[in-house]
Amino acid sequence: MFSLGSWLPAWPGLAWGWALLDTLLQGLVGACAVSVLCSLLKVYLYIQCLNDPERQAEKEAIRAQRWVLEPLHVMVLTGVLALVGSRVTALVVLEFSLRAISTHLSLGKGAHSSQLYLLCQYSLGCGVSCGLSFLLEGAPHSTCNLLLAAGLAGLLATYARRLARHVCTLYELHSRARYCGVCILLLASGHGIPRLLRNALAITFAVADLAAVALINRDFLSTAEAVRFWTPLTICYTLLVIYMQEGSQQSVYQTVLVRMGGLFILLLTVGRWTDIFHIFISLLGELCCLIRAGVMLDVCQRQ
């Protein structure tokens, strides 16, 4: 029987055939989730800047972003998430979850940080991909399920992108004229977007964390092997969280380099050589997400 993987070259952490299609679909769903997150944040930040006379320059900067690059970013992020192995994906998810909990506790009850939502872009993609990989593992019709999930995710991402474009183009006019239902709804309840995102992200990362722990533990044959991996991992993550709290004023790019550097050193001691390759791919994905959201990050930092 014809097998695609029988004559194609091997690639670290990547399978050919139907497994490759499943991996690409998982990456596509994760990339679409990131696109929805960014579109909703763009809507929220634009409305906030529009309502503040002193932030009109920031409003124009958000409006001036190139919409044609959105599909390109989804394609690039899909490829990155498809290349990254399940172990590194799980580690990225667990690291961000600890960082998010620490940040939430330091902000106080009821507070939110739009910048944290932007910093979780790549981790969100990894979380969705990791969760789908775990939930559909061994399912008889996993490819069909992923096709349906990718179709739904693509539809949501398209409508969220259209909403952001509509708001940046016509919200200022429609909010005054009061004849557009979408703009009237945002005028009344647009301030609730961060709460909606917080609840959605909490559910997503709760599932992703369980999946991440299960995916990591399946590689261990004994409890001793698991302890040898989790002990340095816990120490590394604790030090990273403490460093992030003490160096809260550092640039987001420096933060990414420190986090990926910590995971790189950790995997040099307890990981595989393919994990090292996946760390560099993850760094590329993180930088891609941050560069794309550069304008919104500047707005959040000024805020």
Side-chain angles (χ1 to χ4, degrees):
M1 194 171 180
F2 175 74
S3 175
L4 183 64
S6 62
W7 57 275
L8 288 174
W11 189 262
L14 188 64
W16 299 107
W18 290 110
L20 174 60
L21 178 60
D22 289 350
T23 303
L24 286 173
L25 290 174
Q26 291 170 11
L28 178 59
V29 176
C32 289
V34 174
S35 179
V36 172
L37 172 67
C38 289
S39 296
L40 292 179
L41 278 175
K42 187 177 295 184
V43 170
Y44 172 73
L45 292 175
Y46 183 85
I47 294 175
Q48 293 297 308
C49 293
L50 180 64
N51 294 333
D52 189 347
E54 298 181 356
R55 303 175 64 187
Q56 298 307 301
E58 299 175 9
K59 179 202 72 173
E60 294 300 328
I62 295 176
R63 176 187 287 179
Q65 288 183 291
R66 298 181 179 178
W67 301 99
V68 71
L69 297 179
E70 296 288 337
L72 177 61
H73 178 267
V74 171
M75 292 175 58
V76 172
L77 191 56
T78 298
V80 169
L81 292 174
L83 284 175
V84 176
S86 59
R87 184 196 288 255
V88 173
T89 300
L91 292 176
V92 171
V93 170
L94 293 175
E95 187 272 332
F96 176 79
S97 298
L98 291 176
R99 188 156 45 97
I101 293 173
S102 176
T103 302
H104 178 72
L105 293 176
S106 64
L107 286 174
K109 186 177 180 181
H112 72 271
S113 172
S114 299
Q115 182 174 347
L116 183 63
Y117 298 150
L118 289 172
L119 294 178
C120 85
Q121 291 179 78
Y122 181 71
S123 300
L124 172 62
C126 288
V128 173
S129 178
C130 181
L132 288 173
S133 176
F134 174 73
L135 293 174
L136 297 177
E137 188 175 19
H141 304 292
S142 60
T143 303
C144 295
N145 294 332
L146 286 171
L147 282 171
L148 291 174
L152 178 60
L155 191 64
L156 290 175
T158 300
Y159 277 103
R161 192 159 55 244
R162 288 181 180 176
L163 174 64
R165 187 179 304 177
H166 176 84
V167 169
C168 292
T169 306
L170 298 171
Y171 178 81
E172 190 171 1
L173 173 64
H174 289 176
S175 60
R176 293 200 201 104
R178 304 293 178 94
Y179 63 80
C180 174
V182 173
C183 294
I184 292 175
L185 178 63
L186 289 173
L187 183 65
S189 57
H191 60 277
I193 292 178
R195 183 171 62 253
L196 172 66
L197 292 177
R198 183 177 67 244
N199 294 336
L201 289 173
I203 295 173
T204 301
F205 277 102
V207 175
D209 288 337
L210 294 175
V213 173
L215 289 175
I216 292 176
N217 283 335
R218 72 180 181 183
D219 293 333
F220 303 128
L221 299 177
S222 64
T223 304
E225 290 185 10
V227 170
R228 282 197 297 269
F229 181 85
W230 284 106
T231 300
L233 177 65
T234 304
I235 296 173
C236 177
Y237 280 179
T238 303
L239 294 176
L240 280 176
V241 169
I242 294 174
Y243 176 79
M244 296 305 165
Q245 291 298 321
E246 293 179 348
S248 57
Q249 299 301 319
Q250 61 191 335
S251 70
V252 293
Y253 297 101
Q254 182 180 351
T255 300
V256 169
L257 292 176
V258 171
R259 287 168 42 228
M260 290 301 170
L263 291 179
F264 176 79
I265 295 174
L266 171 68
L267 292 175
L268 277 178
T269 58
V270 295
R272 308 187 185 102
W273 73 270
T274 53
D275 295 333
I276 306 302
F277 171 75
H278 294 153
I279 284 292
F280 289 105
I281 299 297
S282 293
L283 178 60
L284 176 63
E286 286 272 16
L287 293 177
C288 179
C289 291
L290 292 179
I291 292 172
R292 174 196 179 226
V295 173
M296 291 190 289
L297 281 170
D298 291 339
V299 172
C300 292
Q301 288 174 348
R302 295 193 190 104
Q303 190 180 22

